[in-house]
């Protein structure tokens, strides 16, 4: 070990290098206003968190699997949209739940060291949440690849118009890549036990499988529509038998996308209050209180909007109610 | 003039037990050692000074600021370095990445200067060559020094160190003393330790805690002087001595008011003085 050089003891080595150019920590007057400093810290922290996310082996493996699945499926015309298009949700979104959880949980043991820094815990959570833009970017890339390859044409998309087709894919491919990591981060902020992670993943997986299975059997039933859309991920059509026949399900793709985005917001706002105190905590809880009814409203609109009943489209182009 | 750290009748309670009880102190720049047996309240006191824990009663001010107020607490934390008793490290981090992460939390936002500062503190604790190594691959002593490195970021005006020398070999301890002594010329360094020789080598002032209360607060030399004329080397243990033990030479070191038979009076050490103080203030300690 070497003693610090004379003159560096009192922050001399730090001169002009901290956010706002403060001399060590002592020259408070020379720093810019607090919000500017807080934003600079958040940006720097988000860059570090993004690097942690990208270098996570799970992310690399998930990305490779998503890319491989999409590459093999998009080389041929698609008869069943649901299968290949769920690859990014599975390999970027669901894997993102685990990555977000582990990134957040990895710092738990260090909490006493980190808590006595000037940056509060919600800023760390916010930075981790900003890092979720990394998988979201790859989700957006996947979406653009699908749009560029398929041009959203063909009978596989049922009775939906181009805008609804894009909306459905945006929710399934891009938003799920954002929502997964946000859910993982929020969960880890409140539940530290490792077993919580598989429970969350399994609950979501089993629920989506169950309600989608019901929708295959009862595509026209209103309660089934409500159950199907009460999930972070949903299908809007199916191709029974794979013979060109497509059933377009009930529900509004646009409002469902809104519901998905609102769920992302809820996940973000659920994680941020951890460690927040005073007015900041009150503001966060206030925002949560506002977003909650908006989310419920979007869910109701997604359920009652869209087609009044399921429609079956046959290979010849004819359509009849299910 | 306001002291760097001021405690006025500060106490901290866990359930029905007062871990720290009515402690009053005014600490100025320099190196202050905190001695006391396990459970004396040292860690609780340090955690309160480091703003990691709020006092249950009394008034605490750091740099003249009140840590109970969020804005003032943040301002204190800008000028603080803290090494907890047990530093947990995040999984998957290298030594450099960990200190870099803490540096960002300490508002070093510009990568170039931040990385230079991270390298400086890693060099200061002799870990410069191990920056790229995963923390899980570091030894216990190296991890301790890594914890210390993050506390040194920005050369803080207040450094709170809970057992900084635990797990370090003699060379590392000597090197650490040099670092802390240099810092103590302008900053306040408060450290707790069980190593009385560290306190003797580093500190001008020592505070002895026992049962959450201050048993001694003053100069190290004055504490040692209290033991003058009460430390005896003899061939036999003195049954009347509150503390007595067999030394490496085979003779017995007796801490006693009266000279044992055929005993030789020797110069007291800080450890003698501390043990005598403990023998007077708490249950008699008899080392063997």
């Amino acid at each position: 070990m070497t003693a610090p050089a004379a003159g560096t003891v009192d922050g001399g080595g730090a001169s002009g290098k901290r956010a706002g150019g403060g001399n060590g920590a002592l020259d408070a007057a020379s720093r810019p206003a607090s919000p500017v400093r807080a934003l600079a810290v958040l940006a720097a922290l988000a860059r570090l968190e993004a690097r942690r996310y990208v270098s996570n082996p799970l992310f690399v493996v998930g990305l490779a699997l998503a890319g491989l699945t999409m590459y093999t499926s998009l080389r041929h015309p698609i008869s069943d949209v649901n299968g290949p298009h769920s690859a990014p949700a599975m390999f970027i979104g669901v894997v993102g739940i685990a990555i977000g959880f582990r990134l957040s949980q990895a710092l738990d043991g260090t909490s006493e060291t980190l808590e006595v820094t000037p940056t509060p815990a919600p800023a760390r959570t916010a930075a981790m949440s900003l890092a979720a833009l990394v998988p979201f970017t790859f989700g957006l890339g996947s979406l653009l690849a699908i749009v560029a390859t398929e041009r959203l044409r063909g009978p596989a998309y049922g009775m939906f118009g181009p805008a609804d087709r894009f909306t459905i894919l945006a929710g399934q491919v891009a938003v799920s890549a954002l929502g997964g990591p946000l859910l993982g981060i929020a969960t880890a902020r409140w539940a530290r036990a490792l077993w919580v992670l598989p429970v969350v993943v399994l609950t979501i997986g089993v629920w989506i499988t169950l309600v989608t299975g019901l929708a295959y059997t009862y595509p026209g039933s209103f309660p089934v529509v409500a159950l199907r859309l009460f999930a972070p991920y949903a299908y809007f059509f199916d191709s029974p038998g794979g013979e060109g026949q497509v059933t377009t399900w009930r529900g509004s793709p646009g409002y469902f996308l809104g519901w998905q985005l609102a769920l992302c917001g809820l996940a973000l706002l659920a994680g941020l209050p951890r460690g927040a105190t005073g007015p900041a905590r009150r503001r966060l809880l206030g925002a949560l209180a506002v977003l909650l009814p908006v989310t419920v409203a979007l869910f109701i609109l997604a359920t009652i909007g869209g087609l009044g009943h399921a429609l079956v489209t046959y290979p010849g182009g004819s359509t009849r109610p299910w | 003039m306001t002291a760097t750290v001021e405690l006025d009748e500060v106490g901290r309670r866990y359930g029905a037990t007062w871990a720290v009880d009515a402690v009053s102190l005014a600490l100025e720049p320099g190196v202050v050692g905190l001695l006391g047996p396990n459970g004396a309240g040292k860690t609780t006191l340090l955690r309160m000074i480091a703003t990691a824990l709020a006092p249950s009663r009394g008034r605490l001010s750091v740099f003249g600021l009140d840590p109970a107020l969020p804005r003032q607490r943040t301002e204190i934390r800008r000028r603080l370095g803290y090494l907890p008793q047990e530093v947990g490290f995040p999984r998957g981090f290298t030594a450099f990445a960990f200190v870099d992460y803490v540096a960002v939390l300490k508002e070093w936002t510009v990568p170039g200067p931040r990385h230079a500062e991270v390298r400086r503190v890693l060099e200061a604790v002799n870990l410069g060559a191990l920056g790229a190594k995963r923390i899980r691959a570091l030894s216990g002593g190296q991890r301790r020094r890594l914890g210390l490195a993050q506390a040194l970021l920005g050369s803080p005006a207040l450094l709170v160190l809970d057992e900084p020398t635990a797990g370090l070999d003699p060379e590392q301890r000597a090197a650490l003393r040099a670092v802390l002594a240099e810092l103590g010329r302008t900053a306040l360094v408060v450290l707790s330790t069980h190593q009385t020789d560290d306190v003797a080598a580093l500190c001008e002032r020592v505070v002895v805690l026992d049962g959450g209360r201050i048993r001694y607060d003053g100069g190290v030399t004055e504490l040692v002087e209290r033991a003058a004329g009460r430390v005896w080397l003899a061939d036999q243990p003195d049954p009347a001595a509150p503390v007595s033990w067999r030394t490496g030479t085979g003779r017995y070191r007796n801490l006693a008011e009266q000279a044992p038979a055929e005993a030789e009076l020797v110069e007291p050490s800080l450890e003698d003085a501390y043990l005598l103080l403990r023998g007077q203030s708490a249950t008699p300690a008899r080392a063997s």
Side-chain angles (χ1 to χ4, degrees), chain A:
Chain A
M1 277 178 269
T2 52
T8 64
V9 169
D10 200 13
S15 181
K17 309 301 194 298
R18 279 190 170 184
N23 182 2
L26 303 175
D27 188 6
S30 69
R31 292 202 196 101
S34 184
V36 177
R37 188 165 59 233
L39 278 178
V41 171
L42 182 64
L45 208 50
R47 277 195 293 274
L48 287 188
E49 294 293 359
R51 206 171 303 151
R52 285 177 70 208
Y53 199 104
V54 170
S55 59
N56 189 296
L58 269 179
F59 178 66
V60 177
V61 171
L63 207 58
L65 287 172
L68 190 67
T69 312
M70 285 182 58
Y71 174 73
T72 44
S73 62
L74 292 178
R75 290 168 68 196
H76 311 289
I78 289 171
S79 58
D80 179 4
V81 176
N82 293 337
H85 291 177
S86 60
M90 176 66 73
F91 297 122
I92 302 177
V94 175
V95 167
I97 301 176
I99 299 171
F101 188 91
R102 297 292 282 174
L103 285 186
S104 178
Q105 202 202 31
L107 295 167
D108 279 354
T110 328
S111 55
E112 187 158 336
T113 308
L114 306 185
E115 271 166 21
V116 297
T117 62
T119 305
R124 298 203 304 271
T125 310
M128 271 183 239
S129 303
L130 280 173
L133 290 175
V134 170
F136 179 63
T137 305
F138 281 95
L140 272 181
S142 306
L143 174 66
L144 294 177
I146 292 168
V147 171
T149 311
E150 293 184 31
R151 307 210 175 276
L152 306 184
R153 286 182 302 220
Y157 288 93
M159 292 300 292
F160 288 115
D164 277 343
R165 292 176 181 190
F166 183 82
T167 303
I168 291 167
L169 280 181
Q172 289 181 336
V173 178
V175 177
S176 56
L178 174 69
L182 289 179
L183 175 64
I185 292 162
T187 306
R189 298 313 281 166
W190 294 100
R192 297 185 173 189
L194 194 56
W195 59 262
V196 174
L197 173 60
V199 166
V200 168
V201 173
L202 277 175
T203 305
I204 291 173
V206 166
W207 176 255
I208 291 173
T209 307
L210 190 71
V211 295
T212 305
L214 281 172
Y216 278 121
T217 314
Y218 308 103
S221 159
F222 179 76
V224 170
V225 175
L227 287 174
R228 189 184 103 242
L229 298 184
F230 188 71
Y233 184 92
Y235 293 134
F236 277 85
F237 28 69
D238 79 298
S239 310
E243 293 168 356
Q245 177 185 320
V246 177
T247 308
T248 307
W249 291 348
R250 294 175 62 180
S252 162
Y255 285 121
F256 184 76
L257 181 66
W259 149 264
Q260 282 183 302
L261 289 170
L263 287 181
C264 291
L266 284 181
L268 178 67
L269 287 175
L272 285 174
R274 179 78 179 182
T277 53
R281 187 180 176 85
R282 282 196 294 278
R283 277 196 296 272
L284 288 168
L285 294 178
L288 200 58
V290 169
L291 187 57
L292 208 57
V294 171
T295 310
V296 172
L298 286 166
F299 168 71
I300 293 169
L301 289 170
T303 306
I304 62 175
L307 296 173
H309 44 254
L311 290 174
V312 183
T313 310
Y314 293 94
S318 61
T319 301
R320 71 166 178 81
W322 185 87

Side-chain angles (χ1 to χ4, degrees), chain B residues 36-228:
Chain B
N38 291 327
K42 302 187 297 295
T43 293
T44 301
L45 183 61
L46 291 184
R47 291 186 73 210
M48 287 193 286
I49 293 172
T51 74
L53 193 67
S56 305
R57 74 167 179 222
R59 196 184 65 81
L60 167 65
S61 84
V62 183
F63 305 119
L65 302 167
D66 183 355
L69 305 173
R71 279 177 193 275
Q72 296 194 20
R73 184 167 61 233
T74 301
E75 194 52 45
I76 292 167
R77 288 174 173 177
R78 290 200 170 102
R79 304 156 76 169
L80 169 76
Y82 175 47
L83 173 71
Q85 190 175 36
E86 289 182 18
V87 186
F89 292 102
R91 282 185 304 272
F93 275 60
T94 63
F96 186 94
F98 170 65
V99 182
D100 192 41
Y101 190 88
V102 179
V104 173
L105 295 178
K106 288 189 173 182
E107 301 180 334
W108 291 75
T109 55
V110 185
R114 185 177 77 234
H115 293 164
E117 175 67 0
V118 172
R119 280 191 290 272
R120 183 186 75 81
V121 294
L122 286 174
E123 287 292 340
V125 297
N126 222 3
L127 287 178
L130 299 176
K133 206 167 180 179
R134 296 254 173 208
I135 295 174
R136 66 166 180 257
L138 298 178
S139 70
Q142 288 168 338
R143 288 185 193 197
R144 197 72 194 145
R145 283 185 280 149
L146 183 61
L148 185 66
Q150 62 79 27
L152 295 176
L153 280 166
S155 303
L158 169 61
L159 200 55
V160 180
L161 309 172
D162 200 346
E163 298 189 25
T165 54
L168 300 188
D169 62 37
E171 288 87 354
Q172 290 168 353
R173 277 172 57 199
L176 175 63
R177 284 176 190 168
V179 173
L180 297 183
E182 185 62 37
L183 277 167
R185 288 169 58 183
T186 48
L188 168 60
V189 181
V190 189
L191 60 93
S192 86
T193 180
H194 290 293
Q195 310 285 344
T196 48
D197 47 348
D198 283 340
V199 174
L202 265 175
C203 307
E204 307 101 71
R205 182 174 170 187
V206 61
V207 176
V208 179
L209 273 182
D210 197 0
R213 287 178 169 271
I214 294 176
R215 299 298 173 189
Y216 177 85
D217 175 16
V220 173
T221 315
E222 287 76 15
L223 180 58
V224 174
E225 279 171 1
R226 284 181 166 203

